[in-house]
Amino acid sequence: MRREPVILRPLSIASMAVVFLLMGLVVAGYGPLLEHLTRRFNVSLPVAGATISVQYIGALVGVLVSMRSIERLRARVIVAVSCVVASFGLAVAALAPAWAQFLGGVFIFGLGFGGLDLSVNQVVAYSEGGRRGALLNALNSAYPAGAVAGPILVSAFAAEHFTALFLVASAIWLLLLPGILAITGRVPVETQAARWPGRLVMLFVAAFMLYVAVEVGTAGWMTSHLEFVGFRSASAATLTSAFWLALGT
């Protein structure tokens, strides 16, 4: 296959920065959202917490699908499709009349989230230019910025504007498509014989899984716990944002 270098235009870079921002915003918003979910769908808090697990199950599937797709499709196709899937998932969650449909929307969003997590990083890492590492770090820094804002936005608007909050986020994903579609080229894929990863790689994977579990578990339940011990919702959400700020600095 003829090599097609990945070229990123300024609009594409800006769009991918917003992608990371939105990813952080939505995921960090789950913590203060749980209490609203219990009232909206008449479920218990532990049941509402399934939202976090469903999101990351979807993300895992999305990563695996993206890994296979990146070998066959142009870079912009993978990223654009993932954006559309994420947007559709949020729209389903926003309009869900019952708990099962809401979880379905969260799972669909997770598929898009996982696809974007892998594909955007790969696209930037293999793009043309001599400062790919700096660009990748700069774009990834948008994720914690969104994570800091997420809990505060949910705390401020979810009680009275639950549906609107999700629909606005859904629309923003679609508004990013012109910049995403401006990406050109394919991510290079080297065909090698499959072999079992070494122990160092497996150790890194295990450590990363534990890190994600601690990060997601702490941030996901922190707001609910703080409210249980007497903090007001706004204060609990602010402290959750501070947790994300500490992780990002």
Side-chain angles (χ1 to χ4, degrees), residues 146-186:
V148 171
I152 296 174
L153 287 175
V154 169
S155 176
F157 298 109
E160 297 181 3
H161 306 288
F162 181 95
T163 299
L165 197 62
F166 274 80
L167 288 179
V168 168
S170 174
I172 295 175
W173 287 101
L174 296 181
L175 293 175
L176 299 176
L177 287 178
I180 298 301
L181 293 174
I183 300 170
T184 59
R186 293 175 182 266

Side-chain angles (χ1 to χ4, degrees), residues 19-43:
V19 163
F20 278 119
L21 184 77
L22 288 173
M23 289 168 66
L25 192 152
V26 174
V27 169
Y30 285 141
L33 188 67
L34 297 183
E35 198 68 37
H36 299 291
L37 294 177
T38 62
R39 294 191 290 268
R40 183 177 179 87
F41 296 106
N42 194 29
V43 296

Side-chain angles (χ1 to χ4, degrees), residues 5 42 49 84 91 93 105 116 118 122 124-125 164-165 190 195 199 202 206 230 238:
N42 194 29
V84 172
L116 287 166
L118 179 87
Q122 289 288 298
V124 177
L165 197 62
E190 295 182 7
R195 61 179 182 177
R199 279 186 290 181
M202 297 301 294
T238 301

